[in-house]
Amino acid sequence: SIGSEEIGNRQFDGDSMSEKILVLIEHRSGKVKGISWEAIGFGQKLASQLNAEMAVVLLGHEIDALVTEVSQRCGQPVLMASGPSLADYTPEAYCVALSRILEEQSPLLLLMGHTYQAIDFAPRLATMLARGFIPNCVDYQWDGKQLTFVRQVFNGKLNLQVGFKGSPPHLVSLQQGAFNAYEVQTQSNPKVVRLDVPLPSEILKRKVLEVIQAAQGKVDLSQADIIVAGGRGLANKEKFQIILDLAQA
């Protein structure tokens, strides 16, 4: 059975809360990762409950088409930081750029998908800012005064309800599939804000030579819109052809 434990039962003063939520978009080869749409949908829902503003953050180089796609689909303001130093992901460049954006925007939260990229840079960014980071969240609670997030430990056998300590911004990553990308709402009057985030070349400690996509199975389930599955109720392997036919229909 799954139990729960409450950690860090800390109250937010609603009057002093930073009324802005930022959602970091992860992209590759000109395409937004599905988990980022999930983060946008959740960010919109949470911003509505907190009566907060929301904006999307995009880092990269020559990403105008991507920015246009995101702004038109979700209608939220898009904060765009572009430059050669951000052409390829590196933790050093992302941490410096995001730290400056967070300092300028002063949000309550920075939301992101819990991906290998986020695992790589988010703890470093939290350390740079001396702020908290709650990773791999599957749910949240908001009672009008206190905001907490739920994350699983011990292979999903225990749920932790985790609050924040200290002043914002706070960093939160969301588990893939925990929130619905179809909840993204198209708002009116999208706008793009081009941020001037100078990144001197000396901050880059590494050079990306090539990005090699990890080998997948026959199907990448994380990118599937619909998953058709069968279990022991089918009785024998021959009947799994029914499932295969349905999936291909």
Side-chain angles (χ1 to χ4, degrees):
S1 62
I2 297 178
S4 66
E5 178 178 341
E6 187 163 308
I7 294 180
N9 187 16
R10 306 175 180 98
Q11 298 288 325
F12 282 108
D13 180 353
D15 294 333
S16 62
M17 187 179 294
S18 301
E19 296 182 349
K20 183 179 293 184
I21 294 172
L22 299 184
V23 177
L24 178 64
I25 297 299
E26 186 170 331
H27 58 93
R28 179 172 294 173
S29 302
K31 295 183 179 180
V32 175
K33 287 203 165 186
I35 194 171
S36 292
W37 292 119
E38 296 174 18
I40 290 175
F42 171 67
Q44 289 178 326
K45 179 179 179 180
L46 184 59
S48 176
Q49 291 180 326
L50 300 182
N51 194 26
E53 298 177 3
M54 181 192 140
V56 174
V57 179
L58 262 167
L59 308 180
H61 184 49
E62 298 179 345
I63 53 173
D64 290 35
L66 197 61
V67 168
T68 299
E69 175 194 351
V70 172
S71 64
Q72 289 179 347
R73 178 169 172 181
C74 71
Q76 304 290 158
V78 177
L79 309 180
M80 170 187 177
S82 178
S85 297
L86 292 168
D88 294 302
Y89 164 76
T90 62
E92 296 87 3
Y94 263 56
C95 284
V96 171
L98 287 171
S99 65
R100 293 175 180 174
I101 292 171
L102 294 175
E103 181 179 1
E104 177 184 309
Q105 297 294 317
S106 300
L108 168 67
L109 296 173
L110 174 64
L111 301 176
M112 67 196 82
H114 190 74
T115 63
Y116 288 116
Q117 182 171 297
I119 294 170
D120 186 42
F121 80 82
R124 181 193 298 240
L125 177 61
T127 301
M128 285 176 59
L129 300 172
R131 296 295 189 270
F133 171 44
I134 305 180
N136 206 22
C137 296
V138 298
D139 202 356
Y140 76 106
Q141 298 290 331
W142 167 248
D143 62 6
K145 183 175 290 187
Q146 182 182 354
L147 176 64
T148 57
F149 285 86
V150 178
R151 60 185 302 264
Q152 295 180 332
V153 294
F154 299 117
N155 199 28
K157 293 182 173 63
L158 184 69
N159 284 355
L160 300 183
Q161 189 170 340
V162 188
F164 300 106
K165 180 179 181 180
S167 57
H170 308 290
L171 280 60
V172 176
S173 67
L174 309 174
Q175 185 178 111
Q176 184 149 7
F179 302 92
N180 197 335
Y182 293 106
E183 292 183 356
V184 174
Q185 301 294 319
T186 302
Q187 309 293 331
S188 60
N189 301 320
K191 64 178 180 179
V192 176
V193 180
R194 296 178 181 271
L195 302 176
D196 181 20
V197 184
L199 295 173
S201 58
E202 56 266 23
I203 70 168
L204 298 178
K205 306 298 182 183
R206 67 196 80 188
K207 181 179 180 181
V208 178
L209 300 178
E210 183 181 4
V211 177
I212 301 174
Q213 182 69 29
Q216 302 283 352
K218 292 184 178 179
V219 178
D220 183 2
L221 293 181
S222 68
Q223 302 301 315
D225 294 326
I226 299 174
I227 298 174
V228 180
R232 294 181 179 178
L234 291 170
N236 59 65
K237 65 179 182 180
E238 286 76 18
K239 291 184 179 179
F240 270 91
Q241 187 61 45
I242 300 173
I243 301 298
L244 293 176
D245 292 342
L246 177 60
Q248 294 170 0

